[in-house]
Amino acid sequence: MNKLNIGIIGAGWPGQMHALAIRAVDGANLYACADLDDNRRAAFENEYAPVTSYGHYRELLQDRHVDAVIVCLPNFLHFPASLAALESGKHVLCEKPPTMNAAEMKVLRDEATKRELVYFFSRQYRFTSAMRAAKAVVNEGRLGKIYHAKATFVRSRGIPVGIGDWFTEKQRSGGGALIDIGVHALDSVWYLMGTPRPVSVSAQVFRNFEHLVKVPVFDVEDAAYAFIRFENGAVVQLETSWAANLPDDIPPRKYFGRELINSIVYGTKGSVQLNPLSVFEDRQGELVSVPLEAKQDEPNGFALQLRNFVESISGAAEPVNNADQAVALMEMIDAIYASSSAGREVPIAAL
């Protein structure tokens, strides 16, 4: 079988991680890259050796040898680049968030469906060893009926700036802590729950710590807290922040101060926690804690995700991250902002 020729749009850190993933997947070939920054593009070429390279992504999309693209650009460019790729007949894997809002994501979903192309939003966390171990527990029925989950991603001092200070400008980022790191925690528990359809959200976002960074514009939230209801009756409690005054018993990380990252999914028979990876289950009336072991000798999340993307295109597998899920995820994020603005719970219409 011929290898899938892939073009990476954006040669920064995410693009580099996807390039390494391509090396690890037999059915994939790094054919091209595109980046407007000459130095960054040259460094990428030197390290990962694509067959060819371009400045603007639209030049790459005109290359008939490119079968699929991976979009690794700032948030505000995800929609136009993904749409242009689909219109050019390319399959798309796009970094998170898939778009700036649900309306844009619906356009991409419909365009991909119309052209019979695969649209895949990047959620490599779903493919990590820990997540796959937790998902196996869910699939085995050890949790029983899942009714609640708590998703947490909180940093003590981790407000990102990014090249050109775009992270803190809503017009270019789409939002702050919620759309940057909260999406990881939310998607993790939602995926373990079986991606039920969200029906309503009550939430509040805050901007309290803009004094911690010096940027031209800071009009996004640095914290978000939400309560999400689903069609099947289950609920999620989400908390995320770039800058929270965390207690000193939480260990510091290299770049973002202290970090509290954990998710737990509750069921009628047991619960599963991601950090530390554990199951808590009722065994003959006694609650027992059972550590889970994530396999360490398997490819990383980027590589397994890329393999699923390639197999989805060939028809050998269903996409783990699909366009309908991307729409629902962005609808939840939209609703969190809308609820905070309105000061009340807001509904989410059916897809």
Side-chain angles (χ1 to χ4, degrees), residues 169-189:
E169 184 180 338
K170 188 173 180 64
Q171 185 176 356
R172 293 190 289 168
S173 65
L178 171 63
I179 208 167
D180 177 40
I181 59 176
V183 66
H184 290 298
L186 174 56
D187 183 74
S188 293
V189 297

PDB file of all heavy atoms in Angstrom, residues 169-189:
ATOM      1  N   GLU A 169      -5.146  37.400  23.530  1.00  0.00           N
ATOM      2  CA  GLU A 169      -6.011  38.262  22.701  1.00  0.00           C
ATOM      3  C   GLU A 169      -7.144  37.418  22.123  1.00  0.00           C
ATOM      4  O   GLU A 169      -6.911  36.537  21.296  1.00  0.00           O
ATOM      5  CB  GLU A 169      -5.194  38.906  21.584  1.00  0.00           C
ATOM      6  CG  GLU A 169      -6.007  39.877  20.743  1.00  0.00           C
ATOM      7  CD  GLU A 169      -5.181  40.511  19.635  1.00  0.00           C
ATOM      8  OE1 GLU A 169      -3.927  40.542  19.756  1.00  0.00           O
ATOM      9  OE2 GLU A 169      -5.792  40.945  18.644  1.00  0.00           O
ATOM     10  N   LYS A 170      -8.364  37.676  22.559  1.00  0.00           N
ATOM     11  CA  LYS A 170      -9.502  36.828  22.211  1.00  0.00           C
ATOM     12  C   LYS A 170      -9.727  36.737  20.708  1.00  0.00           C
ATOM     13  O   LYS A 170     -10.109  35.679  20.196  1.00  0.00           O
ATOM     14  CB  LYS A 170     -10.776  37.347  22.887  1.00  0.00           C
ATOM     15  CG  LYS A 170     -11.965  36.401  22.731  1.00  0.00           C
ATOM     16  CD  LYS A 170     -13.155  36.850  23.541  1.00  0.00           C
ATOM     17  CE  LYS A 170     -14.328  35.911  23.386  1.00  0.00           C
ATOM     18  NZ  LYS A 170     -14.063  34.556  23.893  1.00  0.00           N
ATOM     19  N   GLN A 171      -9.471  37.812  19.979  1.00  0.00           N
ATOM     20  CA  GLN A 171      -9.688  37.793  18.536  1.00  0.00           C
ATOM     21  C   GLN A 171      -8.819  36.750  17.846  1.00  0.00           C
ATOM     22  O   GLN A 171      -9.185  36.208  16.807  1.00  0.00           O
ATOM     23  CB  GLN A 171      -9.417  39.190  17.954  1.00  0.00           C
ATOM     24  CG  GLN A 171      -9.738  39.302  16.479  1.00  0.00           C
ATOM     25  CD  GLN A 171      -9.567  40.711  15.946  1.00  0.00           C
ATOM     26  OE1 GLN A 171      -9.268  41.642  16.697  1.00  0.00           O
ATOM     27  NE2 GLN A 171      -9.755  40.897  14.646  1.00  0.00           N
ATOM     28  N   ARG A 172      -7.663  36.465  18.424  1.00  0.00           N
ATOM     29  CA  ARG A 172      -6.758  35.493  17.806  1.00  0.00           C
ATOM     30  C   ARG A 172      -6.734  34.136  18.520  1.00  0.00           C
ATOM     31  O   ARG A 172      -6.410  33.121  17.903  1.00  0.00           O
ATOM     32  CB  ARG A 172      -5.334  36.068  17.757  1.00  0.00           C
ATOM     33  CG  ARG A 172      -5.190  37.256  16.813  1.00  0.00           C
ATOM     34  CD  ARG A 172      -3.739  37.627  16.615  1.00  0.00           C
ATOM     35  NE  ARG A 172      -3.145  38.229  17.808  1.00  0.00           N
ATOM     36  CZ  ARG A 172      -1.836  38.423  17.963  1.00  0.00           C
ATOM     37  NH1 ARG A 172      -0.992  38.041  17.020  1.00  0.00           N
ATOM     38  NH2 ARG A 172      -1.368  38.986  19.063  1.00  0.00           N
ATOM     39  N   SER A 173      -7.101  34.109  19.799  1.00  0.00           N
ATOM     40  CA  SER A 173      -7.053  32.858  20.564  1.00  0.00           C
ATOM     41  C   SER A 173      -8.406  32.186  20.696  1.00  0.00           C
ATOM     42  O   SER A 173      -8.491  30.967  20.864  1.00  0.00           O
ATOM     43  CB  SER A 173      -6.488  33.125  21.964  1.00  0.00           C
ATOM     44  OG  SER A 173      -7.381  33.957  22.690  1.00  0.00           O
ATOM     45  N   GLY A 174      -9.473  32.977  20.666  1.00  0.00           N
ATOM     46  CA  GLY A 174     -10.813  32.437  20.893  1.00  0.00           C
ATOM     47  C   GLY A 174     -11.188  32.391  22.358  1.00  0.00           C
ATOM     48  O   GLY A 174     -12.355  32.247  22.712  1.00  0.00           O
ATOM     49  N   GLY A 175     -10.207  32.497  23.235  1.00  0.00           N
ATOM     50  CA  GLY A 175     -10.440  32.451  24.677  1.00  0.00           C
ATOM     51  C   GLY A 175      -9.135  32.242  25.409  1.00  0.00           C
ATOM     52  O   GLY A 175      -8.060  32.196  24.801  1.00  0.00           O
ATOM     53  N   GLY A 176      -9.230  32.084  26.720  1.00  0.00           N
ATOM     54  CA  GLY A 176      -8.042  31.972  27.539  1.00  0.00           C
ATOM     55  C   GLY A 176      -7.805  30.586  28.080  1.00  0.00           C
ATOM     56  O   GLY A 176      -7.670  29.617  27.335  1.00  0.00           O
ATOM     57  N   ALA A 177      -7.773  30.463  29.410  1.00  0.00           N
ATOM     58  CA  ALA A 177      -7.432  29.192  30.050  1.00  0.00           C
ATOM     59  C   ALA A 177      -8.361  28.063  29.621  1.00  0.00           C
ATOM     60  O   ALA A 177      -7.930  26.919  29.464  1.00  0.00           O
ATOM     61  CB  ALA A 177      -7.463  29.359  31.571  1.00  0.00           C
ATOM     62  N   LEU A 178      -9.637  28.374  29.429  1.00  0.00           N
ATOM     63  CA  LEU A 178     -10.603  27.337  29.057  1.00  0.00           C
ATOM     64  C   LEU A 178     -10.246  26.688  27.726  1.00  0.00           C
ATOM     65  O   LEU A 178     -10.164  25.458  27.610  1.00  0.00           O
ATOM     66  CB  LEU A 178     -12.015  27.931  28.982  1.00  0.00           C
ATOM     67  CG  LEU A 178     -13.097  27.010  28.402  1.00  0.00           C
ATOM     68  CD1 LEU A 178     -13.289  25.782  29.266  1.00  0.00           C
ATOM     69  CD2 LEU A 178     -14.395  27.778  28.223  1.00  0.00           C
ATOM     70  N   ILE A 179     -10.025  27.497  26.714  1.00  0.00           N
ATOM     71  CA  ILE A 179      -9.799  26.969  25.369  1.00  0.00           C
ATOM     72  C   ILE A 179      -8.357  26.493  25.191  1.00  0.00           C
ATOM     73  O   ILE A 179      -8.062  25.720  24.275  1.00  0.00           O
ATOM     74  CB  ILE A 179     -10.167  28.040  24.311  1.00  0.00           C
ATOM     75  CG1 ILE A 179     -10.610  27.374  23.002  1.00  0.00           C
ATOM     76  CG2 ILE A 179      -9.045  29.019  24.075  1.00  0.00           C
ATOM     77  CD1 ILE A 179     -11.280  28.349  22.033  1.00  0.00           C
ATOM     78  N   ASP A 180      -7.471  26.910  26.111  1.00  0.00           N
ATOM     79  CA  ASP A 180      -6.065  26.509  26.021  1.00  0.00           C
ATOM     80  C   ASP A 180      -5.800  25.206  26.763  1.00  0.00           C
ATOM     81  O   ASP A 180      -5.347  24.219  26.169  1.00  0.00           O
ATOM     82  CB  ASP A 180      -5.173  27.628  26.569  1.00  0.00           C
ATOM     83  CG  ASP A 180      -3.707  27.250  26.561  1.00  0.00           C
ATOM     84  OD1 ASP A 180      -3.261  26.617  25.579  1.00  0.00           O
ATOM     85  OD2 ASP A 180      -3.001  27.578  27.533  1.00  0.00           O
ATOM     86  N   ILE A 181      -6.087  25.161  28.057  1.00  0.00           N
ATOM     87  CA  ILE A 181      -5.783  23.962  28.843  1.00  0.00           C
ATOM     88  C   ILE A 181      -7.036  23.263  29.369  1.00  0.00           C
ATOM     89  O   ILE A 181      -7.042  22.046  29.540  1.00  0.00           O
ATOM     90  CB  ILE A 181      -4.825  24.273  30.012  1.00  0.00           C
ATOM     91  CG1 ILE A 181      -5.414  25.318  30.959  1.00  0.00           C
ATOM     92  CG2 ILE A 181      -3.473  24.719  29.469  1.00  0.00           C
ATOM     93  CD1 ILE A 181      -4.536  25.578  32.200  1.00  0.00           C
ATOM     94  N   GLY A 182      -8.109  24.018  29.614  1.00  0.00           N
ATOM     95  CA  GLY A 182      -9.331  23.402  30.107  1.00  0.00           C
ATOM     96  C   GLY A 182      -9.902  22.385  29.150  1.00  0.00           C
ATOM     97  O   GLY A 182     -10.516  21.396  29.562  1.00  0.00           O
ATOM     98  N   VAL A 183      -9.694  22.620  27.856  1.00  0.00           N
ATOM     99  CA  VAL A 183     -10.200  21.694  26.847  1.00  0.00           C
ATOM    100  C   VAL A 183      -9.600  20.303  27.024  1.00  0.00           C
ATOM    101  O   VAL A 183     -10.259  19.290  26.747  1.00  0.00           O
ATOM    102  CB  VAL A 183      -9.937  22.250  25.426  1.00  0.00           C
ATOM    103  CG1 VAL A 183      -8.448  22.313  25.140  1.00  0.00           C
ATOM    104  CG2 VAL A 183     -10.643  21.441  24.364  1.00  0.00           C
ATOM    105  N   HIS A 184      -8.356  20.208  27.504  1.00  0.00           N
ATOM    106  CA  HIS A 184      -7.723  18.906  27.728  1.00  0.00           C
ATOM    107  C   HIS A 184      -8.469  18.126  28.816  1.00  0.00           C
ATOM    108  O   HIS A 184      -8.795  16.954  28.645  1.00  0.00           O
ATOM    109  CB  HIS A 184      -6.264  19.081  28.154  1.00  0.00           C
ATOM    110  CG  HIS A 184      -5.359  19.574  27.078  1.00  0.00           C
ATOM    111  ND1 HIS A 184      -5.132  18.878  25.913  1.00  0.00           N
ATOM    112  CD2 HIS A 184      -4.609  20.707  26.990  1.00  0.00           C
ATOM    113  CE1 HIS A 184      -4.278  19.545  25.156  1.00  0.00           C
ATOM    114  NE2 HIS A 184      -3.952  20.653  25.782  1.00  0.00           N
ATOM    115  N   ALA A 185      -8.722  18.798  29.934  1.00  0.00           N
ATOM    116  CA  ALA A 185      -9.400  18.137  31.047  1.00  0.00           C
ATOM    117  C   ALA A 185     -10.829  17.777  30.687  1.00  0.00           C
ATOM    118  O   ALA A 185     -11.299  16.667  30.974  1.00  0.00           O
ATOM    119  CB  ALA A 185      -9.372  19.045  32.277  1.00  0.00           C
ATOM    120  N   LEU A 186     -11.533  18.700  30.053  1.00  0.00           N
ATOM    121  CA  LEU A 186     -12.924  18.452  29.672  1.00  0.00           C
ATOM    122  C   LEU A 186     -13.024  17.283  28.704  1.00  0.00           C
ATOM    123  O   LEU A 186     -13.850  16.372  28.887  1.00  0.00           O
ATOM    124  CB  LEU A 186     -13.522  19.711  29.051  1.00  0.00           C
ATOM    125  CG  LEU A 186     -14.934  19.574  28.475  1.00  0.00           C
ATOM    126  CD1 LEU A 186     -15.914  19.066  29.524  1.00  0.00           C
ATOM    127  CD2 LEU A 186     -15.398  20.901  27.884  1.00  0.00           C
ATOM    128  N   ASP A 187     -12.191  17.281  27.673  1.00  0.00           N
ATOM    129  CA  ASP A 187     -12.278  16.211  26.684  1.00  0.00           C
ATOM    130  C   ASP A 187     -11.903  14.861  27.291  1.00  0.00           C
ATOM    131  O   ASP A 187     -12.468  13.833  26.916  1.00  0.00           O
ATOM    132  CB  ASP A 187     -11.386  16.502  25.482  1.00  0.00           C
ATOM    133  CG  ASP A 187     -11.524  15.443  24.402  1.00  0.00           C
ATOM    134  OD1 ASP A 187     -12.548  15.432  23.698  1.00  0.00           O
ATOM    135  OD2 ASP A 187     -10.619  14.588  24.285  1.00  0.00           O
ATOM    136  N   SER A 188     -10.977  14.852  28.226  1.00  0.00           N
ATOM    137  CA  SER A 188     -10.549  13.590  28.832  1.00  0.00           C
ATOM    138  C   SER A 188     -11.714  12.889  29.523  1.00  0.00           C
ATOM    139  O   SER A 188     -11.968  11.699  29.300  1.00  0.00           O
ATOM    140  CB  SER A 188      -9.410  13.833  29.824  1.00  0.00           C
ATOM    141  OG  SER A 188      -8.244  14.257  29.155  1.00  0.00           O
ATOM    142  N   VAL A 189     -12.443  13.619  30.378  1.00  0.00           N
ATOM    143  CA  VAL A 189     -13.550  12.964  31.085  1.00  0.00           C
ATOM    144  C   VAL A 189     -14.720  12.692  30.149  1.00  0.00           C
ATOM    145  O   VAL A 189     -15.384  11.657  30.263  1.00  0.00           O
ATOM    146  CB  VAL A 189     -14.009  13.779  32.313  1.00  0.00           C
ATOM    147  CG1 VAL A 189     -12.885  13.897  33.333  1.00  0.00           C
ATOM    148  CG2 VAL A 189     -14.526  15.159  31.933  1.00  0.00           C
TER     149      VAL A 189
END
